[in-house]
Amino acid sequence: MLVDSPPEQRAETAPAPPTHRAIRVLGLFASVALLVLVALASIAIGAKSLPLGDVWHGLFHDSGTYADVVVGDRVSRTVLGLLAGAALGLSGAVLQALTRNPLADPGLLGINAGASAAVVTAITYFGVTSLTGYVWFAFAGAAVVGALVWFLGGSRGATPVRLALAGTAISAALYGYLQAVMIMDDAALSKMRFWTVGSLASATGSTITQVAPFFAVGTVVALLLARPLNAVAMGDDTARALGANLNRTRALAMLSATVLCGAATAACGPIVFVGLMVPHVVRSFTGPDLRWILPYATILSPVLLLSADVLGRLIARPAELQVGIVTAIVGGPVFIYLVRRRRTAQL
């Protein structure tokens, strides 16, 4: 016999009134329009100033001029920013639901640490020097750590607390290893310095082609988990009463988050706060329903990432400030605000 859910839990899963649904749908269209504008700005604005006529010519002609090459590079980094931003936001939203922690992000389960440790190993012990080589090592490191966290967290008996504790412990160990290797090997330190801050500047068509299938698979799996994760977020007993398969949902959530965050980290390096900030902000106006949180996070996360990338190009002209530094500068105060607001709400 099913136990009736408390009123507040029923309210979380109850269908939104028609007016609210219409507003949310309009909000999605507005978010897509904003994303298009930011993407166009990312192509038009760079560390090197180009007239809009040259940008337009570079988009639709291939004459091999300097402007065309620059615009081609901007298009590649914009596409990568779209994919990586969506992946980070979506993986952050999934992990926040999985761990029932609205302040969780992909780094909580050690995925960033796994990718970073794999890249420094590739540089130091295997002599890998190209971004193409980094991608596969980083993705493999993220995947291995994701599987290890799942195993140490209890596998079929995994709980949000166990997963978070396992991820934190593995992250600490891997970052200790990473720092030790980089201190002992100056060559590794100089090569890792650019990658570890997170950047879109090295985006190429080849990199995008390699990671795009992982983005696609991870996104589809994550979006299909919206309804089961809604049940899991309400507690194990309630989820079972609603017919959710806890083990399968958690395993697929871990898989999708690992694939998404691993691919983004492999292509761009570890970029912080995007997976934390955007889902948290989105939840403030969509409510706790993941059927709305996940699509909004998928659209608005690349808006944040590309905006930070454009800002980094503008404030350091003619050089540029890596996007990982900009998101960290913006994300630090926002994170403090979120924590303080959460503490105030609990008092």
Side-chain angles (χ1 to χ4, degrees), residues 13-111:
T13 55
T19 339
H20 290 178
R21 284 200 298 271
I23 292 173
R24 288 171 180 173
V25 170
L26 289 175
L28 280 176
F29 282 111
S31 300
V32 171
L34 178 61
L35 179 59
V36 171
L37 290 176
V38 172
L40 291 175
S42 177
I43 295 172
I45 302 171
K48 301 183 185 301
S49 181
L50 287 178
L52 288 179
D54 289 350
V55 173
W56 180 264
H57 184 276
L59 281 174
F60 299 102
H61 299 83
D62 187 20
S63 60
T65 65
Y66 171 77
D68 296 339
V69 172
V70 170
V71 171
D73 290 341
R74 291 182 189 175
V75 170
S76 294
R77 73 188 291 168
T78 299
V79 172
L80 183 59
L82 291 170
L83 295 175
L88 291 170
L90 196 52
S91 62
V94 168
L95 289 176
Q96 287 175 12
L98 178 65
T99 60
R100 299 177 203 152
N101 180 359
L103 297 180
D105 75 332
L108 181 67
L109 298 186
I111 297 172

Side-chain angles (χ1 to χ4, degrees), residues 6 14 33 41 44 56-57 68 116 153 193 207 220 229 296 321 338:
W56 180 264
H57 184 276
D68 296 339
S116 300
R193 190 164 44 196
T207 303
V220 170
L229 281 174
Y296 267 103
L321 199 61
L338 294 176

Side-chain angles (χ1 to χ4, degrees), residues 12-312:
E12 288 187 354
T13 55
T19 339
H20 290 178
R21 284 200 298 271
I23 292 173
R24 288 171 180 173
V25 170
L26 289 175
L28 280 176
F29 282 111
S31 300
V32 171
L34 178 61
L35 179 59
V36 171
L37 290 176
V38 172
L40 291 175
S42 177
I43 295 172
I45 302 171
K48 301 183 185 301
S49 181
L50 287 178
L52 288 179
D54 289 350
V55 173
W56 180 264
H57 184 276
L59 281 174
F60 299 102
H61 299 83
D62 187 20
S63 60
T65 65
Y66 171 77
D68 296 339
V69 172
V70 170
V71 171
D73 290 341
R74 291 182 189 175
V75 170
S76 294
R77 73 188 291 168
T78 299
V79 172
L80 183 59
L82 291 170
L83 295 175
L88 291 170
L90 196 52
S91 62
V94 168
L95 289 176
Q96 287 175 12
L98 178 65
T99 60
R100 299 177 203 152
N101 180 359
L103 297 180
D105 75 332
L108 181 67
L109 298 186
I111 297 172
N112 285 345
S116 300
V119 169
V120 79
T121 300
I123 292 172
T124 305
Y125 299 111
F126 297 100
V128 177
T129 57
S130 68
L131 182 63
T132 304
Y134 295 167
V135 165
W136 293 107
F137 275 92
F139 186 77
V144 169
V145 169
L148 187 58
V149 168
W150 176 249
F151 174 76
L152 294 178
S155 188
R156 289 183 173 274
T159 63
V161 174
R162 287 181 181 177
L163 291 174
L165 288 174
T168 302
I170 292 174
S171 292
L174 289 178
Y175 278 125
Y177 162 77
L178 189 150
Q179 294 299 325
V181 172
M182 291 174 65
I183 288 172
M184 293 186 295
D185 189 336
D186 291 338
L189 176 60
S190 62
K191 292 174 184 176
M192 280 288 293
R193 190 164 44 196
F194 182 78
W195 186 84
T196 52
V197 296
S199 174
L200 300 175
S202 299
T204 64
S206 173
T207 303
I208 294 170
T209 302
Q210 290 179 67
V211 297
F214 298 106
F215 286 133
V217 171
T219 300
V220 170
V221 173
L223 292 176
L224 290 175
L225 287 174
R227 191 180 294 273
L229 281 174
N230 270 342
V232 170
M234 295 166 63
D236 290 3
D237 293 338
T238 304
R240 291 191 186 97
L242 293 172
N245 187 321
L246 291 177
N247 292 328
R248 183 177 62 192
T249 300
R250 285 175 178 153
L252 289 175
M254 275 290 299
L255 175 64
S256 66
T258 300
V259 169
L260 287 168
C261 184
T265 304
C268 310
I271 297 176
V272 296
F273 287 117
V274 175
L276 164 66
M277 283 191 294
V278 176
H280 195 87
V281 171
V282 164
R283 192 180 294 106
S284 68
F285 60 82
T286 64
D289 192 345
L290 285 157
R291 291 172 296 180
W292 292 104
I293 292 174
L294 296 183
Y296 267 103
T298 304
I299 297 169
L300 292 178
S301 295
V303 170
L304 172 61
L305 187 63
L306 288 177
S307 298
D309 190 41
V310 171
L311 181 62

Side-chain angles (χ1 to χ4, degrees), residues 318-333:
E320 66 176 76
L321 199 61
Q322 283 79 13
V323 67
I325 297 174
V326 179
T327 58
I329 293 172
V330 173

